[in-house]
Amino acid sequence: MNTTIESILHYVDQKEVVELTRSLIRIQSVYRPKFEGGNEEKVARFIVDYLKNIGLEVYYEEVAPGRPNVIAIYDSGLPGKTLLFEGHTDVVTEGDLDSWTYNPFGGEISNGRIYGRGSCDTKGNLAAAISAVHSLKKSGAAFTGKIILCIPCDEEGMMIGIKDFIRRGWADRVDGAIICEPEENQLCITQKGAMRIVLKTYGKMAHGAMPLTGINPTTRMARLIVELDQLEQIEKERLGEHPYLGWPSITPTIVQAPVKGEPQINVVPAQCMTALDIRTVPGQDHDQLTKEIEDIIERLGKEDPDFKATLDLIENRPWTETPKDHDVVQAVAQAYTQVTGKDPVYNGVPGATDGTFLHLAGVPILTTGAGDRHIPHHADEYVDIDELVETVKIYTLSALNFLK
């Protein structure tokens, strides 16, 4: 490293990122709409105070009752590009407490790791982004343009936070974004798309002893599921295994009959429902995939006059891909080498992130951060302190590289 880089990284404070991570973990932010305070409000207000104390321009915008976004700006005062760091405040449920060795909301430290819900996904990385901006500010390092910290609610749900952020125009002039998620500091330049589809087949109730007096929607749903399995195989053969994302998939996750009312073993139900979790890779067109499923339904209807089905696309998150030669990827790749002395490892995100919608809004994204990618949502979730400090340094230099 040259002297300038060393002098800037001198301001990276391990104690700050560790204590900030622990503080964020201790403020519960699981979304529990039936319980008072079961939202992101408390942690958001804590973050607002923290960001104001370090001298940033801060905005608090409520997306839904008790569910705010926090936005902070560090402006150089000079014209230039805008870099966005994005890290969400919500975490998933802790689940069965008996499965935890550590208090899920204790922020305990053991053997060089911080334990707790959100330590890895993604309060540790949120703390790293805040600490990186603070390090830059303390160093007085010169840059052009500005940095925006986007800290939304509801990433683990329907992503209403990032959608609101975009709707209010915050993403309009962003030139690149770093999505702060646990990826072992690998540079994830692509991520799978997601489609959530609800299929229903319709029949006629009947006695199980006399099924021909009714119309069985479950056998017809079974035919549809078999056809979807064949469609998945066709897509796999067409596309092959993606080098970073693996295989595309069409997965029935819920099969339910009847859709309403109590099931009974000697009753043919009137309806059957199947939920599909479809994960796509570059090269797949979501509209075309939807049409292919609709074509299957139409064909089965022609083969069986009693086959009636509907398709409802309830969520549509396209895959993303950012070229390696894009400025934001180059900036992070250079920072990774400056910090570690090694070549970066490129990868892809197996699930969707808030970056999905930033990509849709025209913002080039890269996803990286501390944490084992297999640990999120597990009991005894943790992040390694050494890796977290490395992330702060990578974020810090990524900003400088991007905003030269």
Side-chain angles (χ1 to χ4, degrees):
M1 284 188 200
N2 62 43
T3 305
T4 304
I5 292 173
E6 288 176 347
S7 64
I8 292 167
L9 293 185
H10 170 75
Y11 289 93
V12 171
D13 186 344
Q14 175 173 317
K15 183 178 179 181
E16 177 184 23
V17 70
V18 168
E19 291 309 312
L20 180 53
T21 299
R22 298 179 75 194
S23 295
L24 295 175
I25 291 168
R26 288 167 180 158
I27 305 172
Q28 293 193 34
S29 54
V30 179
Y31 181 52
R32 293 186 171 104
K34 295 182 181 179
F35 295 90
E36 185 178 353
N39 51 44
E40 302 93 338
E41 182 175 7
K42 288 182 180 177
V43 73
R45 292 196 181 279
F46 172 87
I47 291 167
V48 165
D49 291 341
Y50 195 95
L51 295 173
K52 285 181 177 179
N53 285 338
I54 65 178
L56 301 185
E57 180 183 342
V58 185
Y59 299 85
Y60 179 97
E61 298 181 342
E62 194 164 64
V63 180
R67 310 201 75 186
N69 288 344
V70 179
I71 300 104
I73 299 173
Y74 180 29
D75 196 332
S76 70
L78 300 171
K81 294 185 291 188
T82 296
L83 177 66
L84 178 74
F85 285 100
E86 188 275 340
H88 57 91
T89 51
D90 62 318
V91 297
V92 298
T93 174
E94 69 276 22
D96 181 8
L97 288 174
D98 291 338
S99 64
W100 285 77
T101 307
Y102 302 91
N103 178 351
F105 302 107
E108 299 174 57
I109 294 177
S110 179
N111 296 319
R113 292 172 170 174
I114 307 170
Y115 285 86
R117 181 57 83 224
S119 55
C120 180
D121 182 16
T122 197
K123 288 180 173 177
N125 290 305
L126 172 55
I130 293 170
S131 297
V133 174
H134 195 196
S135 299
L136 280 175
K137 201 166 188 306
K138 288 184 292 184
S139 74
F143 65 96
T144 61
K146 62 185 174 183
I147 300 169
I148 297 178
L149 285 168
C150 169
I151 307 170
C153 62
D154 192 47
E155 191 270 354
E156 301 290 0
M158 295 301 288
M159 301 185 178
I160 63 171
I162 197 66
K163 291 174 183 176
D164 186 81
F165 176 87
I166 293 165
R167 186 165 50 248
R168 292 177 190 247
W170 283 106
D172 289 353
R173 288 174 292 278
V174 173
D175 299 285
I178 296 173
I179 311 304
C180 306
E181 293 281 353
E183 298 296 346
E184 301 161 42
N185 285 336
Q186 296 177 1
L187 278 61
C188 294
I189 56 175
T190 183
Q191 61 183 350
K192 279 188 175 180
M195 301 169 67
R196 306 281 166 76
I197 289 177
V198 174
L199 299 170
K200 289 182 182 177
T201 50
Y202 300 86
K204 179 183 175 183
M205 285 183 71
H207 197 298
M210 296 170 284
L212 295 181
T213 64
I215 299 171
N216 197 333
T218 58
T219 54
R220 285 153 177 93
M221 181 63 79
R223 292 176 205 158
L224 181 51
I225 290 173
V226 169
E227 291 282 348
L228 292 171
D229 184 65
Q230 292 174 2
L231 178 60
E232 180 188 79
Q233 298 309 314
I234 290 169
E235 288 295 281
K236 286 181 176 179
E237 291 172 10
R238 181 174 73 87
L239 295 155
E241 185 176 9
H242 191 278
Y244 299 135
L245 298 175
W247 300 99
S249 59
I250 301 174
T251 307
T253 52
I254 303 170
V255 180
Q256 181 179 332
V259 177
K260 294 181 180 180
E262 294 183 31
Q264 194 163 325
I265 199 166
N266 62 342
V267 176
V268 174
Q271 291 183 12
C272 182
M273 182 275 288
T274 292
L276 300 179
D277 185 354
I278 301 176
R279 302 294 172 143
T280 59
V281 299
Q284 288 182 289
D285 183 296
H286 284 202
D287 291 340
Q288 178 61 30
L289 199 53
T290 303
K291 184 179 183 303
E292 289 180 15
I293 298 172
E294 290 172 339
D295 288 346
I296 291 170
I297 291 171
E298 183 180 353
R299 176 165 52 80
L300 291 175
K302 290 178 179 177
E303 294 171 359
D304 175 5
D306 290 327
F307 182 94
K308 292 182 178 64
T310 57
L311 179 155
D312 185 15
L313 177 61
I314 61 172
E315 182 73 355
N316 190 3
R317 303 173 181 176
W319 47 266
T320 73
E321 193 170 41
T322 305
K324 282 186 181 180
D325 61 359
H326 190 277
D327 286 354
V328 72
V329 179
Q330 291 289 305
V332 181
Q334 183 183 352
Y336 182 91
T337 300
Q338 288 168 327
V339 171
T340 68
K342 302 174 184 177
D343 291 333
V345 177
Y346 293 93
N347 210 331
V349 182
T353 69
D354 280 335
T356 302
F357 293 101
L358 288 169
H359 167 81
L360 271 176
V363 178
I365 64 167
L366 179 142
T367 306
T368 191
D372 185 328
R373 58 163 47 197
H374 299 112
I375 292 301
H377 303 192
H378 284 226
D380 286 338
E381 180 184 345
Y382 68 86
V383 66
D384 284 302
I385 291 173
D386 287 347
E387 187 177 63
L388 190 61
V389 174
E390 181 179 87
T391 302
V392 180
K393 294 177 180 179
I394 292 170
Y395 286 171
T396 301
L397 295 185
S398 295
L400 281 183
N401 294 337
F402 190 73
L403 305 172
K404 293 177 182 177

